Amino acid sequence: MKFSGKNVLVTGASRGIGAEIAKILASYGLKVWINYRSKPEIADSLKEEIEKSGGVASVVHFDITNENEFIAGIKAIIESDGELSYLVNNAGITNDKLALRMKTNDFMSVINANLTSTFVGCREALKVMSKKRFGSVVNVSSIVGERGNAGQVNYSASKGGVNTMTKSFAIEGSARGIRFNAITPGFIETDMTKELKEEIKENYISNIPLKRFGQPSEVAEAVAFLLSDSSSYITGEILRVNGGLYT
Ligand code: NAP
């Protein structure tokens, strides 16, 4: 895969899908900025792992829900390396409850983390990338943002918002040479799905045409494609990575 730019910021890259995205993008020759929120030692060990494999990485700490911290994180990258060509808005949370029991705070915390933070990331990327009239942004959304799910009124609203917001950013970004796309993973084996009860997991798997959960690396390869020059005529697209569960 070909990349014309140099630096990529991956939010929530300390574990799960984000860590895999960081590793794969480093293997394609990008300098990866690993964003973490809570565990510096895990972010540092990912940086070491990437460097041992011949890649280049740096660590940048911020909480995506803190707008000032997010903006300062991007500023630090520009001050260090002079450019940011790629952004992956990956960090996200769940806070599942049936709607009848969901407090407004439970709803808003997920909207803030998944939707508002992605908005801030996209807007700041648009500002920075506009200067070079080049850039590519991938938002990690979810299958649940397309089809809904019980217990996830908050999560589905946030990810549905990410999908349509990505299309709007794509229209605004195109005049400046900046592409915006999203991917909607189905069930992927990470900490986020680890807590599912075995019988619920088996029930989900029976409905997935490929008969298994996906691996983080399978999402990461799709992200790399959408970021890279290989997808240079694709913008505003929502790419499904879900084993055929929703087509
Ligand atoms: P995960 O294993 O729970 O990891 C989430 C990552 O996001 C962690 O690195 C976490 O950092 C970080 N994060 C959360 N809130 C943050 C904040 N406020 N600031 C900075 N970082 C923050 O989740 P995952 O499964 O890899 O999910 C990654 C993305 O894929 C999410 O957007 C999720 O919605 C989406 N997705 C996942 C699945 C799935 O089946 N796993 C399916 C569809 C979509 P800490 O270590 O500090 O908590």
Side-chain angles (χ1 to χ4, degrees):
M1 246 174 281
K2 234 182 80 204
F3 290 89
S4 305
K6 281 189 296 199
N7 286 271
V8 60
L9 167 62
V10 184
T11 67
S14 53
R15 58 193 169 91
I17 293 171
E20 211 55 44
I21 292 172
K23 284 191 249 177
I24 281 175
L25 293 177
S27 78
Y28 286 126
L30 292 182
K31 172 167 178 183
V32 179
W33 285 84
I34 301 163
N35 160 247
Y36 75 96
R37 171 183 57 172
S38 59
K39 297 187 188 79
E41 63 288 356
I42 298 183
D44 285 339
S45 81
L46 177 62
K47 172 178 149 67
E48 266 173 42
E49 189 185 334
I50 287 173
E51 287 171 345
K52 270 192 197 138
S53 313
V56 184
S58 276
V59 164
V60 57
H61 171 259
F62 58 86
D63 182 328
I64 56 159
T65 62
N66 182 320
E67 182 172 7
N68 291 335
E69 282 188 20
F70 203 151
I71 292 171
I74 290 182
K75 193 167 169 233
I77 296 171
I78 302 293
E79 278 170 6
S80 162
D81 288 0
E83 70 109 53
L84 180 67
S85 295
Y86 306 105
L87 168 66
V88 183
N89 283 307
N90 163 77
I93 60 165
T94 53
N95 186 359
D96 299 353
K97 283 177 185 76
L98 289 174
L100 284 174
R101 292 194 199 123
M102 192 178 284
K103 303 255 187 307
T104 307
N105 273 348
D106 300 325
F107 184 84
M108 288 313 299
S109 63
V110 174
I111 295 289
N112 281 337
N114 295 356
L115 179 59
T116 312
S117 305
T118 299
F119 158 69
V120 170
C122 288
R123 184 194 64 200
E124 294 308 307
L126 188 54
K127 279 186 202 162
V128 164
M129 294 172 188
S130 286
K131 292 189 182 132
K132 285 184 67 189
R133 302 191 82 75
F134 176 80
S136 178
V137 176
V138 175
N139 296 326
V140 181
S141 180
S142 169
I143 186 174
V144 173
E146 298 185 286
R147 56 168 242 179
N149 198 21
Q152 295 197 307
V153 162
N154 48 6
Y155 186 74
S156 61
S158 71
K159 296 298 191 177
V162 166
N163 293 345
T164 44
M165 185 175 74
T166 302
K167 289 178 181 288
S168 301
F169 266 110
I171 296 166
E172 292 196 19
S174 56
R176 295 157 189 260
I178 302 153
R179 296 183 299 113
F180 289 84
N181 291 290
I183 53 157
T184 53
F187 293 98
I188 310 299
E189 276 181 17
T190 68
D191 292 345
M192 202 175 256
T193 49
K194 204 165 71 181
E195 304 303 323
L196 287 174
K197 290 198 185 105
E198 209 43 50
E199 77 250 31
I200 292 178
K201 221 169 162 176
E202 274 162 26
N203 185 36
Y204 281 140
I205 288 173
S206 69
N207 289 314
I208 300 171
L210 288 181
K211 296 292 169 222
R212 62 178 177 83
F213 277 15
Q215 292 303 313
S217 61
E218 294 174 306
V219 178
E221 290 288 4
V223 169
F225 167 70
L226 282 178
L227 274 189
S228 77
D229 295 353
S230 307
S231 62
S232 52
Y233 199 52
I234 300 177
T235 195
E237 192 56 65
I238 312 295
L239 178 60
R240 293 175 178 146
V241 185
N242 63 28
L245 180 57
Y246 184 74
T247 58

